[in-house]
Amino acid sequence: MTTLIASVNLEAMNIERTSLEKRAATHAALADPARLQIIDLLTLADRSPGELQVALGLTSNLVAHHLGVLDRTELIVRSRSEGDRRRSYIRLRPSALDGLLPTPVLAARRVVFVCTGNSARSPLAAALWAQASPIPATSAGTHPAAATSSKAIAAAERHDLPFGPHTPRDLGGVIGEGDLVVTVCDRAHEELVYADALHWSVPNPGRVGTDAAYDATFDEIARRIARLSPQLSAV
């Protein structure tokens, strides 16, 4: 029995030591002002290395260095753009900064979610936002599809999300003063020129077409909305 207790205590100590080392590495990575600014930007939206370079006013090699540090401490994830395949996007790992996220930093009259077809990702995002925040939300597309995706509707039903009748519509004339634009599609993000738009690099579930792909998209958007909604206040 004594040997068993000693073994359990040793295992607990090893787990605690590993946790402390990981926390220390995270704090060390965030101790640099440039890396902390990168994290602040990524709490709201995904960014390409080039976009981070412009936002921070740093050279490309310095941005690469800082991203390398954040990568090694498992704070970020890189993904290839579904639009311009030469481009990549940087995002925060889920739960990477639990308890360390900044307080509300944005204000908006309304949130406008945008994807290419306005048939799946953006209307799902608008419906999910309606459950998470009192700030109004809507959606639109850069090249609207003929109809809403039946698989997106089915995904909403599987998650008990109210998803009323929706007809894809063009972005033109939708965005107004005080709106916060959030692109949930790489192609839409790379096509639009709204300087203050946020971008979430959410893969197109239609490329795979399975229920699992649409459920994964639903979960990804829901997670991001849970992160953004406390940081947004009403105008």
Side-chain angles (χ1 to χ4, degrees), residues 118-137:
N118 189 217
S119 62
R121 286 168 288 184
S122 57
L124 282 174
L128 281 162
W129 182 269
Q131 289 194 323
S133 172
I135 299 174

Side-chain angles (χ1 to χ4, degrees), residues 48-127:
S48 68
E51 290 169 340
L52 289 172
Q53 181 181 344
V54 172
L56 272 65
L58 298 177
T59 61
S60 59
N61 62 322
L62 270 178
V63 170
H65 163 71
H66 291 309
L67 291 178
V69 173
L70 296 174
D71 205 354
R72 288 191 294 275
T73 49
E74 299 183 342
L75 290 173
I76 61 172
V77 179
R78 303 171 191 256
S79 62
R80 185 67 58 185
S81 168
E82 291 186 342
D84 182 348
R85 299 294 295 175
R86 297 167 298 178
R87 183 185 300 209
S88 64
Y89 289 106
I90 314 298
R91 70 179 68 181
L92 282 180
R93 284 186 181 275
S95 305
L97 296 176
D98 281 358
L100 296 175
L101 293 179
T103 54
V105 294
L106 292 176
R109 176 184 68 91
R110 184 180 63 167
V111 181
V112 181
F113 293 98
V114 181
C115 65
T116 303
N118 189 217
S119 62
R121 286 168 288 184
S122 57
L124 282 174

Side-chain angles (χ1 to χ4, degrees), residues 13-234:
M13 289 175 61
N14 287 337
I15 292 174
E16 183 179 359
R17 184 180 300 111
T18 301
S19 176
L20 285 171
E21 290 173 352
K22 182 173 178 58
R23 287 171 56 201
T26 298
H27 282 285
L30 299 178
D32 183 274
R35 290 196 289 273
L36 188 57
Q37 189 176 357
I38 289 173
I39 292 299
D40 283 349
L41 291 170
L42 295 181
T43 62
L44 299 172
D46 302 341
R47 307 278 180 145
S48 68
E51 290 169 340
L52 289 172
Q53 181 181 344
V54 172
L56 272 65
L58 298 177
T59 61
S60 59
N61 62 322
L62 270 178
V63 170
H65 163 71
H66 291 309
L67 291 178
V69 173
L70 296 174
D71 205 354
R72 288 191 294 275
T73 49
E74 299 183 342
L75 290 173
I76 61 172
V77 179
R78 303 171 191 256
S79 62
R80 185 67 58 185
S81 168
E82 291 186 342
D84 182 348
R85 299 294 295 175
R86 297 167 298 178
R87 183 185 300 209
S88 64
Y89 289 106
I90 314 298
R91 70 179 68 181
L92 282 180
R93 284 186 181 275
S95 305
L97 296 176
D98 281 358
L100 296 175
L101 293 179
T103 54
V105 294
L106 292 176
R109 176 184 68 91
R110 184 180 63 167
V111 181
V112 181
F113 293 98
V114 181
C115 65
T116 303
N118 189 217
S119 62
R121 286 168 288 184
S122 57
L124 282 174
L128 281 162
W129 182 269
Q131 289 194 323
S133 172
I135 299 174
T138 189
S139 67
T142 53
H143 303 282
T148 305
S149 166
S150 60
K151 289 186 175 293
I153 296 173
E157 292 175 350
R158 286 194 297 274
H159 291 81
D160 297 321
L161 175 70
F163 195 75
H166 169 75
T167 300
R169 60 174 178 168
D170 188 83
L171 182 61
V174 172
I175 299 176
E177 184 177 355
D179 285 346
L180 173 66
V181 177
V182 181
T183 54
V184 292
C185 162
D186 291 344
R187 293 182 183 277
H189 172 65
E190 291 160 17
E191 183 176 347
L192 296 180
V193 291
Y194 293 98
D196 296 328
L198 303 181
H199 177 50
W200 297 346
S201 183
V202 180
N204 178 9
R207 288 179 175 269
V208 180
T210 62
D211 289 349
Y214 280 84
D215 286 342
T217 293
F218 184 100
D219 291 341
E220 174 71 5
I221 293 173
R223 180 182 65 78
R224 289 171 176 270
I225 284 176
R227 175 181 289 167
L228 175 62
S229 56
Q231 299 187 58
L232 189 65
S233 59

